[in-house]
Amino acid sequence: MENTSLEQKTEKYLCPTYARYPLAVKTASGCRLYDFQGREYIDLLAGISVCNLGHSHPEIVQAICSQAGKLVHTSNLFYQEEQVLLSEKLVETCHLDKVFFCNSGAEANEAAIKLMRRYMSRVRGENRHELITFSGSFHGRTLATMTATGQDKIKEGFAPLPEGFRHVPLNDVQALEDAVNENTAAIMAECIQGEGGIKLMSPEFKKKINELQRSRDILLIVDEIQTGMGRTGSLWAFEQEGLEPDMFTSSKALAAGLPMGALLAREEVASAFGPGSHGTTFGGGPLPSVAALKSLEIIQRDGLLDYCRDLGQWAANRFRETGRKCPGTIREVRGRGLMLGIELEFPGKDVWQALLDRGFVLNLTQESVLRLLPPLTITGQDLEQFALALEQVLQKH
Ligand SMILES: Cc1ncc(COP(=O)(O)O)c(C=O)c1O
């Protein structure tokens, strides 16, 4: 299809929920995207932290195709082998005991919020229901997860919002302490805020979260939707943050590009769900389950966690060097592993556009943060090419 007619038909038939990039990807392979004119791009976004193994990874393709020929869907009314194998594998990766599968990040967080409430009322017999989240956070677009999200702009026009949510400025230790009361059920946090502009929690803030979790007996829910599946150099980001969540959520890269979400919980917390208390038609179906199983196998087998940690450190230092070469342009380079933010001193739309024109696909968030979430299989050469292009663009700015 011609680019113009693709654009026109998108406008004609699709709800206008996205400000789309001037790009239509026709095919992709590894860390490369190809548009309808056959132009090649280096993918530094991986479908927003989804295609962590790159595009069309032969083993993922093989796993999906072979499963598609056997069984695509039955129902959660039946026992399902692939789902059980995946839940066992996921539980082995962490200190938690039980898994609930769904189809997206918002659904996984919604499940966590529902489980938090039901656990407090059914298991503990307490009237605690409030969830504390942080400014700048992003937890999804359902009514509850949007309300949990610490960004007002996404809530415009959707009132009335559900009750029971409280927001605290990120890294404000005193405000967090003050926000906890007899109604507080849980704190929900991203280890590194993605949509919020690659923002990390300070050591004091994490210490306070740990302390409140224990001393005030509240639950900690970690949102690993963007940070999980190796993105930060450990399978789950909380492993590096000194946090021990009672629940955490995963999605995005979980099934290597197929839609899947998961909530993991401590045994006691999970016991609050009973038959009929929560569910979803597609959650944990055979197709995404085999893709997720294969993805976990590849990440572990190919040493991608160490690779991602080392390459990410190198890249962050390389971009800092770019900042020194182009004074007055880069305020800060932040992140862990291959979840990196380059905060500019000014709104970055022009820089982002110039990089796209040079064949680099990345994202601009919070107006001035270039967000890099490349496949974990990206090479140092690709990142070096990007650094050189960024230098050219910034020098012209
Ligand atoms: C940290 C975080 N939580 C939740 C979500 C929502 O996930 P989904 O878009 O799959 O509903 C996102 C999506 O960007 C995210 O980055």
Side-chain angles (χ1 to χ4, degrees), residues 253-269:
L254 179 58
L258 294 188
M260 179 175 235
L263 162 68
L264 281 93
R266 275 201 292 116
E267 179 98 47
E268 189 198 46
V269 178

Side-chain angles (χ1 to χ4, degrees), residues 80 150-151 185 241 303 338-339 383:
Q80 299 185 60
Q151 301 187 48
E241 303 292 330
L338 289 168
M339 181 168 188
L383 291 171

